[in-house]
Amino acid sequence: MTGAISPPPLKRRRIATETPVPHMATAFVTIDLYSWNVNGIGPFVQQSITTFFKSTSNSGASSADTSPSLREFLRSHSWPALLFLQEVKIRADDTQTRRAVQRAVSRQAGEAEGTPDYVAHFTLPNDPHNARGFGGKVYGVCSIIRKDFSDKYVERVRDVTWDQEGRFSVIETKAVVNVPKMAIYNVYMVNGTDNPYKDALTGEVKGTRHDRKLAVHALLAADCGKLVNEGYEVIVSGDINIARAPVDGHPNLRTTPQQHVLNRQDFERRFFGTPNPVALTADDHAMKAIAGSSPITGLGMVDVYRKLHPNTRAYSYFPRGRPFGTSCDRVDMILCTPGLSANCTNASILGTPGDRGPSDHVPIYASFDIDKIQDPGDG
Protein backbone atom coordinates (compact mmCIF):
# COMPACT_ATOMS: atom_id res chain seq x y z
CA MET A 1 0.00 0.00 0.00
CA THR A 2 1.34 3.39 -0.93
CA GLY A 3 0.87 6.88 0.43
CA ALA A 4 0.30 8.24 3.89
CA ILE A 5 -2.76 7.47 5.93
CA SER A 6 -3.92 10.34 8.09
CA PRO A 7 -3.96 9.48 11.79
CA PRO A 8 -7.10 9.96 13.87
CA PRO A 9 -7.10 12.98 16.16
CA LEU A 10 -6.17 12.08 19.71
CA LYS A 11 -8.17 14.78 21.46
CA ARG A 12 -11.27 16.72 20.53
CA ARG A 13 -13.60 19.10 22.27
CA ARG A 14 -16.57 17.76 24.15
CA ILE A 15 -20.08 18.55 23.02
CA ALA A 16 -20.04 22.21 24.09
CA THR A 17 -17.16 24.57 24.80
CA GLU A 18 -18.14 28.06 25.91
CA THR A 19 -16.28 31.31 25.57
CA PRO A 20 -17.61 33.55 28.35
CA VAL A 21 -18.75 37.04 27.37
CA PRO A 22 -21.34 39.25 29.11
CA HIS A 23 -24.83 37.72 28.86
CA MET A 24 -24.09 35.56 25.82
CA ALA A 25 -21.52 32.95 24.84
CA THR A 26 -20.25 31.54 21.59
CA ALA A 27 -20.20 27.76 21.73
CA PHE A 28 -19.58 24.80 19.51
CA VAL A 29 -21.68 21.72 19.13
CA THR A 30 -19.07 19.13 18.16
CA ILE A 31 -20.42 16.08 16.38
CA ASP A 32 -17.76 13.37 16.30
CA LEU A 33 -18.93 10.58 14.02
CA TYR A 34 -17.27 7.19 13.58
CA SER A 35 -18.49 4.64 11.05
CA TRP A 36 -17.41 1.04 10.68
CA ASN A 37 -18.49 -1.98 8.68
CA VAL A 38 -17.77 -4.59 11.36
CA ASN A 39 -18.56 -7.64 9.18
CA GLY A 40 -20.55 -9.24 11.99
CA ILE A 41 -21.21 -8.05 15.54
CA GLY A 42 -20.56 -11.48 17.06
CA PRO A 43 -16.93 -10.96 18.14
CA PHE A 44 -17.93 -7.76 19.94
CA VAL A 45 -20.43 -9.45 22.24
CA GLN A 46 -19.20 -13.04 22.64
CA GLN A 47 -16.49 -12.19 25.17
CA SER A 48 -15.93 -9.50 27.77
CA ILE A 49 -12.19 -9.01 27.22
CA THR A 50 -11.52 -5.29 26.70
CA THR A 51 -7.95 -5.20 25.46
CA PHE A 52 -8.83 -4.25 21.90
CA PHE A 53 -8.15 -0.57 21.10
CA LYS A 54 -6.80 -0.11 24.63
CA SER A 55 -3.50 1.42 23.60
CA THR A 56 -3.02 3.66 20.58
CA SER A 57 0.74 3.11 20.90
CA ASN A 58 0.21 -0.49 19.78
CA SER A 59 -2.20 0.31 16.97
CA GLY A 60 0.06 -1.23 14.36
CA ALA A 61 0.14 -4.61 16.06
CA SER A 62 -1.89 -7.60 15.02
CA SER A 63 -5.27 -7.97 16.68
CA ALA A 64 -5.33 -11.75 16.39
CA ASP A 65 -4.87 -12.30 20.13
CA THR A 66 -7.37 -9.73 21.36
CA SER A 67 -11.12 -9.38 21.51
CA PRO A 68 -12.86 -6.19 20.38
CA SER A 69 -14.77 -4.04 22.84
CA LEU A 70 -17.27 -1.43 21.69
CA ARG A 71 -17.04 0.37 25.02
CA GLU A 72 -13.25 0.56 24.80
CA PHE A 73 -13.51 1.84 21.25
CA LEU A 74 -15.80 4.65 22.42
CA ARG A 75 -13.51 5.43 25.35
CA SER A 76 -10.32 5.44 23.31
CA HIS A 77 -11.86 7.91 20.86
CA SER A 78 -12.97 10.41 23.52
CA TRP A 79 -16.63 9.36 23.70
CA PRO A 80 -17.90 10.45 20.24
CA ALA A 81 -21.49 11.54 19.73
CA LEU A 82 -22.14 8.83 17.15
CA LEU A 83 -20.80 5.41 16.22
CA PHE A 84 -22.38 3.82 13.15
CA LEU A 85 -21.94 0.10 12.53
CA GLN A 86 -22.80 -1.69 9.28
CA GLU A 87 -23.16 -5.36 8.40
CA VAL A 88 -23.91 -6.31 12.00
CA LYS A 89 -25.43 -9.62 10.85
CA ILE A 90 -28.14 -9.97 13.46
CA ARG A 91 -31.43 -11.74 12.77
CA ALA A 92 -34.48 -9.55 13.23
CA ASP A 93 -35.81 -11.83 16.00
CA ASP A 94 -32.49 -12.02 17.89
CA THR A 95 -33.32 -9.87 20.91
CA GLN A 96 -30.55 -11.49 22.97
CA THR A 97 -27.76 -10.16 20.74
CA ARG A 98 -29.38 -6.73 20.58
CA ARG A 99 -29.47 -6.60 24.37
CA ALA A 100 -25.83 -7.71 24.49
CA VAL A 101 -24.81 -4.86 22.17
CA GLN A 102 -26.73 -2.38 24.32
CA ARG A 103 -24.93 -3.65 27.43
CA ALA A 104 -21.59 -3.41 25.59
CA VAL A 105 -22.03 0.33 24.94
CA SER A 106 -23.70 1.28 28.22
CA ARG A 107 -21.97 2.83 31.22
CA GLN A 108 -20.11 0.10 33.10
CA ALA A 109 -19.97 -0.60 36.80
CA GLY A 110 -16.99 1.09 38.41
CA GLU A 111 -16.66 3.83 35.81
CA ALA A 112 -16.23 7.38 37.04
CA GLU A 113 -19.30 9.49 37.68
CA GLY A 114 -20.28 11.43 34.58
CA THR A 115 -18.84 8.87 32.16
CA PRO A 116 -21.02 8.99 29.04
CA ASP A 117 -23.79 6.50 28.45
CA TYR A 118 -24.97 5.33 25.01
CA VAL A 119 -28.11 3.96 23.40
CA ALA A 120 -28.11 1.55 20.44
CA HIS A 121 -30.71 1.62 17.64
CA PHE A 122 -30.98 -1.29 15.21
CA THR A 123 -32.28 -1.60 11.66
CA LEU A 124 -32.35 -5.27 10.72
CA PRO A 125 -33.54 -7.17 7.61
CA ASN A 126 -37.12 -8.36 7.28
CA ASP A 127 -36.97 -9.24 3.59
CA PRO A 128 -37.85 -12.95 3.23
CA HIS A 129 -36.58 -13.17 -0.35
CA ASN A 130 -33.32 -11.17 -0.42
CA ALA A 131 -31.99 -11.54 3.13
CA ARG A 132 -32.14 -15.29 3.73
CA GLY A 133 -28.46 -16.23 3.70
CA PHE A 134 -26.72 -17.59 6.80
CA GLY A 135 -30.03 -18.10 8.57
CA GLY A 136 -31.00 -14.47 8.11
CA LYS A 137 -27.79 -13.19 9.73
CA VAL A 138 -26.98 -10.78 6.91
CA TYR A 139 -26.78 -7.02 6.45
CA GLY A 140 -28.19 -4.84 9.28
CA VAL A 141 -26.99 -1.54 10.75
CA CYS A 142 -26.69 -0.24 14.30
CA SER A 143 -26.59 3.45 15.25
CA ILE A 144 -24.99 4.07 18.65
CA ILE A 145 -25.76 7.52 20.05
CA ARG A 146 -24.28 9.17 23.14
CA LYS A 147 -27.24 9.64 25.47
CA ASP A 148 -26.72 13.31 26.32
CA PHE A 149 -26.55 14.12 22.59
CA SER A 150 -29.67 12.04 21.97
CA ASP A 151 -31.61 13.67 24.80
CA LYS A 152 -30.85 17.20 23.65
CA TYR A 153 -30.81 16.98 19.86
CA VAL A 154 -32.42 13.81 18.51
CA GLU A 155 -36.03 14.08 17.38
CA ARG A 156 -36.39 10.51 16.16
CA VAL A 157 -34.51 7.54 14.71
CA ARG A 158 -36.27 5.86 11.81
CA ASP A 159 -35.91 3.34 9.01
CA VAL A 160 -36.82 4.00 5.37
CA THR A 161 -39.94 2.58 3.77
CA TRP A 162 -38.24 1.53 0.55
CA ASP A 163 -35.72 -0.96 1.95
CA GLN A 164 -36.36 -4.18 3.87
CA GLU A 165 -32.78 -5.48 3.87
CA GLY A 166 -31.81 -3.57 7.02
CA ARG A 167 -29.45 -1.17 5.28
CA PHE A 168 -30.58 2.32 6.29
CA SER A 169 -31.18 4.15 9.55
CA VAL A 170 -31.85 7.89 9.81
CA ILE A 171 -31.27 10.10 12.85
CA GLU A 172 -33.31 13.29 12.59
CA THR A 173 -32.27 16.07 14.96
CA LYS A 174 -34.05 19.18 16.19
CA ALA A 175 -32.99 22.73 15.48
CA VAL A 176 -31.55 24.07 18.74
CA VAL A 177 -30.61 27.77 18.79
CA ASN A 178 -28.23 28.15 15.81
CA VAL A 179 -27.75 24.41 15.29
CA PRO A 180 -29.74 23.40 12.18
CA LYS A 181 -32.01 20.44 11.77
CA MET A 182 -29.97 17.50 10.56
CA ALA A 183 -30.70 14.11 9.04
CA ILE A 184 -27.79 11.74 9.63
CA TYR A 185 -27.93 8.50 7.62
CA ASN A 186 -26.23 5.26 8.61
CA VAL A 187 -26.01 3.36 5.31
CA TYR A 188 -24.86 -0.02 4.06
CA MET A 189 -25.25 0.37 0.31
CA VAL A 190 -25.99 -2.56 -1.98
CA ASN A 191 -23.03 -4.35 -3.55
CA GLY A 192 -23.69 -4.63 -7.28
CA THR A 193 -23.52 -8.20 -8.63
CA ASP A 194 -25.22 -10.28 -11.31
CA ASN A 195 -27.15 -12.22 -8.67
CA PRO A 196 -30.94 -11.85 -8.90
CA TYR A 197 -32.89 -9.28 -6.92
CA LYS A 198 -36.42 -10.36 -5.95
CA ASP A 199 -39.45 -8.30 -5.11
CA ALA A 200 -39.53 -8.11 -1.31
CA LEU A 201 -43.26 -8.91 -1.21
CA THR A 202 -43.82 -11.40 -4.02
CA GLY A 203 -40.41 -12.97 -4.53
CA GLU A 204 -40.59 -12.26 -8.27
CA VAL A 205 -37.18 -11.64 -9.86
CA LYS A 206 -36.90 -7.93 -10.65
CA GLY A 207 -33.45 -7.85 -12.19
CA THR A 208 -29.96 -8.15 -10.73
CA ARG A 209 -28.28 -6.75 -7.64
CA HIS A 210 -26.72 -4.19 -10.00
CA ASP A 211 -30.24 -3.03 -10.88
CA ARG A 212 -31.14 -2.88 -7.21
CA LYS A 213 -28.01 -0.88 -6.44
CA LEU A 214 -28.99 1.74 -9.01
CA ALA A 215 -32.54 1.83 -7.68
CA VAL A 216 -31.22 2.38 -4.14
CA HIS A 217 -29.04 5.26 -5.38
CA ALA A 218 -32.17 6.92 -6.76
CA LEU A 219 -34.28 6.20 -3.66
CA LEU A 220 -31.67 7.43 -1.19
CA ALA A 221 -30.96 10.54 -3.24
CA ALA A 222 -34.69 11.31 -3.41
CA ASP A 223 -35.01 10.78 0.36
CA CYS A 224 -32.08 13.14 1.02
CA GLY A 225 -33.41 15.70 -1.46
CA LYS A 226 -36.80 15.74 0.22
CA LEU A 227 -35.18 16.47 3.59
CA VAL A 228 -32.99 19.21 2.10
CA ASN A 229 -36.15 20.84 0.76
CA GLU A 230 -37.59 20.67 4.28
CA GLY A 231 -34.62 22.60 5.67
CA TYR A 232 -32.41 19.75 6.90
CA GLU A 233 -28.66 19.53 6.53
CA VAL A 234 -27.84 15.94 5.58
CA ILE A 235 -24.96 13.60 6.44
CA VAL A 236 -24.63 10.20 4.75
CA SER A 237 -22.15 7.87 6.45
CA GLY A 238 -21.25 4.25 5.97
CA ASP A 239 -20.21 1.58 3.49
CA ILE A 240 -21.00 3.02 0.06
CA ASN A 241 -19.69 -0.04 -1.84
CA ILE A 242 -18.17 2.22 -4.49
CA ALA A 243 -14.62 3.53 -4.86
CA ARG A 244 -14.93 6.93 -6.48
CA ALA A 245 -11.67 7.56 -8.35
CA PRO A 246 -8.23 6.06 -9.11
CA VAL A 247 -6.83 7.57 -5.90
CA ASP A 248 -9.37 5.44 -4.00
CA GLY A 249 -8.21 2.05 -5.26
CA HIS A 250 -4.95 0.13 -4.88
CA PRO A 251 -3.30 -1.10 -6.97
CA ASN A 252 -6.04 -0.02 -9.42
CA LEU A 253 -9.61 1.25 -9.48
CA ARG A 254 -12.06 -1.48 -10.41
CA THR A 255 -13.26 -0.92 -13.97
CA THR A 256 -14.47 -4.38 -15.02
CA PRO A 257 -17.07 -5.54 -15.58
CA GLN A 258 -18.42 -2.36 -17.19
CA GLN A 259 -21.46 -2.28 -14.91
CA HIS A 260 -19.24 -1.19 -12.01
CA VAL A 261 -18.25 1.86 -14.05
CA LEU A 262 -21.91 2.67 -14.71
CA ASN A 263 -22.76 2.24 -11.03
CA ARG A 264 -19.98 4.66 -10.13
CA GLN A 265 -21.14 7.22 -12.70
CA ASP A 266 -24.70 7.03 -11.43
CA PHE A 267 -23.61 7.54 -7.83
CA GLU A 268 -21.41 10.50 -8.77
CA ARG A 269 -24.20 12.22 -10.66
CA ARG A 270 -26.85 11.74 -8.03
CA PHE A 271 -24.85 12.62 -4.94
CA PHE A 272 -22.10 14.97 -6.14
CA GLY A 273 -23.63 16.48 -9.26
CA THR A 274 -24.92 20.03 -9.42
CA PRO A 275 -28.18 20.56 -7.50
CA ASN A 276 -29.83 21.51 -10.80
CA PRO A 277 -31.07 18.82 -13.22
CA VAL A 278 -28.26 17.43 -15.36
CA ALA A 279 -29.30 16.29 -18.83
CA LEU A 280 -27.81 13.01 -19.92
CA THR A 281 -25.53 13.10 -22.95
CA ALA A 282 -26.93 11.83 -26.23
CA ASP A 283 -24.49 8.91 -26.44
CA ASP A 284 -24.97 7.77 -22.83
CA HIS A 285 -27.35 4.99 -23.83
CA ALA A 286 -26.65 2.77 -20.83
CA MET A 287 -27.44 5.54 -18.36
CA LYS A 288 -30.57 6.48 -20.33
CA ALA A 289 -31.76 2.92 -19.93
CA ILE A 290 -31.34 3.29 -16.18
CA ALA A 291 -32.76 6.77 -15.72
CA GLY A 292 -35.27 6.90 -18.57
CA SER A 293 -35.81 10.29 -20.18
CA SER A 294 -35.75 12.17 -16.88
CA PRO A 295 -32.59 14.13 -16.05
CA ILE A 296 -30.73 13.31 -12.86
CA THR A 297 -30.82 15.99 -10.20
CA GLY A 298 -27.60 16.04 -8.15
CA LEU A 299 -27.40 16.79 -4.44
CA GLY A 300 -24.06 18.58 -4.61
CA MET A 301 -22.80 16.71 -1.55
CA VAL A 302 -19.24 16.86 -0.25
CA ASP A 303 -16.99 13.85 0.44
CA VAL A 304 -15.41 15.25 3.60
CA TYR A 305 -12.34 13.02 3.64
CA ARG A 306 -11.50 13.85 0.05
CA LYS A 307 -12.11 17.56 0.65
CA LEU A 308 -9.61 17.64 3.53
CA HIS A 309 -7.17 15.15 1.96
CA PRO A 310 -7.49 15.71 -1.80
CA ASN A 311 -4.52 13.59 -2.87
CA THR A 312 -4.03 11.15 0.01
CA ARG A 313 -4.13 7.46 -0.79
CA ALA A 314 -5.91 5.83 2.11
CA TYR A 315 -8.24 2.85 2.12
CA SER A 316 -11.01 1.43 4.26
CA TYR A 317 -11.59 -2.04 2.76
CA PHE A 318 -8.90 -4.75 2.86
CA PRO A 319 -10.19 -8.10 1.57
CA ARG A 320 -9.32 -11.18 3.56
CA GLY A 321 -7.06 -13.79 2.04
CA ARG A 322 -4.53 -11.25 0.75
CA PRO A 323 -1.59 -9.63 2.55
CA PHE A 324 -2.80 -6.49 4.30
CA GLY A 325 -2.51 -3.45 2.05
CA THR A 326 -1.82 -5.27 -1.22
CA SER A 327 -5.38 -4.84 -2.51
CA CYS A 328 -7.66 -2.22 -1.00
CA ASP A 329 -10.27 0.43 -1.71
CA ARG A 330 -11.82 3.48 -0.07
CA VAL A 331 -15.47 2.44 -0.16
CA ASP A 332 -16.50 3.78 3.27
CA MET A 333 -17.30 7.49 3.25
CA ILE A 334 -18.92 10.37 5.09
CA LEU A 335 -20.77 12.80 2.85
CA CYS A 336 -22.56 16.02 3.79
CA THR A 337 -24.63 18.74 2.18
CA PRO A 338 -22.72 21.89 1.18
CA GLY A 339 -24.06 23.89 4.12
CA LEU A 340 -22.21 21.62 6.55
CA SER A 341 -18.99 21.11 4.63
CA ALA A 342 -17.24 24.18 6.09
CA ASN A 343 -18.02 22.85 9.58
CA CYS A 344 -16.10 19.62 9.01
CA THR A 345 -12.84 20.18 10.87
CA ASN A 346 -11.33 16.70 10.62
CA ALA A 347 -11.73 13.47 8.69
CA SER A 348 -9.67 10.30 9.03
CA ILE A 349 -9.40 6.67 8.03
CA LEU A 350 -8.11 4.48 10.84
CA GLY A 351 -6.22 2.30 8.41
CA THR A 352 -3.75 0.21 10.38
CA PRO A 353 -3.85 -3.55 11.02
CA GLY A 354 -4.65 -2.79 14.66
CA ASP A 355 -7.61 -0.62 13.73
CA ARG A 356 -8.87 -3.33 11.42
CA GLY A 357 -10.02 -5.57 14.24
CA PRO A 358 -12.08 -8.61 13.25
CA SER A 359 -13.48 -6.95 10.10
CA ASP A 360 -12.29 -6.57 6.51
CA HIS A 361 -13.03 -2.84 6.87
CA VAL A 362 -11.46 -0.24 9.15
CA PRO A 363 -13.30 2.61 10.90
CA ILE A 364 -13.64 6.07 9.38
CA TYR A 365 -14.15 9.35 11.20
CA ALA A 366 -15.33 12.93 10.73
CA SER A 367 -15.85 15.82 13.13
CA PHE A 368 -18.24 18.73 12.62
CA ASP A 369 -17.94 21.89 14.74
CA ILE A 370 -21.14 23.89 14.51
CA ASP A 371 -21.26 27.42 15.94
CA LYS A 372 -24.15 28.42 18.08
CA ILE A 373 -25.12 31.36 20.26
CA GLN A 374 -25.86 30.29 23.78
CA ASP A 375 -27.61 32.26 26.49
CA PRO A 376 -26.96 31.59 30.17
CA GLY A 377 -30.09 29.47 30.50
CA ASP A 378 -29.24 27.13 27.63
CA GLY A 379 -27.94 24.00 29.33
Side-chain angles (χ1 to χ4, degrees), residues 264-283:
R264 183 182 301 117
Q265 291 174 348
D266 184 68
F267 181 77
E268 289 289 319
R269 290 177 178 179
R270 293 189 186 279
F271 290 89
F272 301 107
T274 172
N276 297 314
V278 179
L280 301 179
T281 59
D283 60 349

Side-chain angles (χ1 to χ4, degrees), residues 364-375:
I364 62 174
Y365 160 81
S367 183
F368 297 85
D369 278 356
I370 302 175
D371 297 336
K372 73 171 192 172
I373 303 300
Q374 188 174 55
D375 66 36

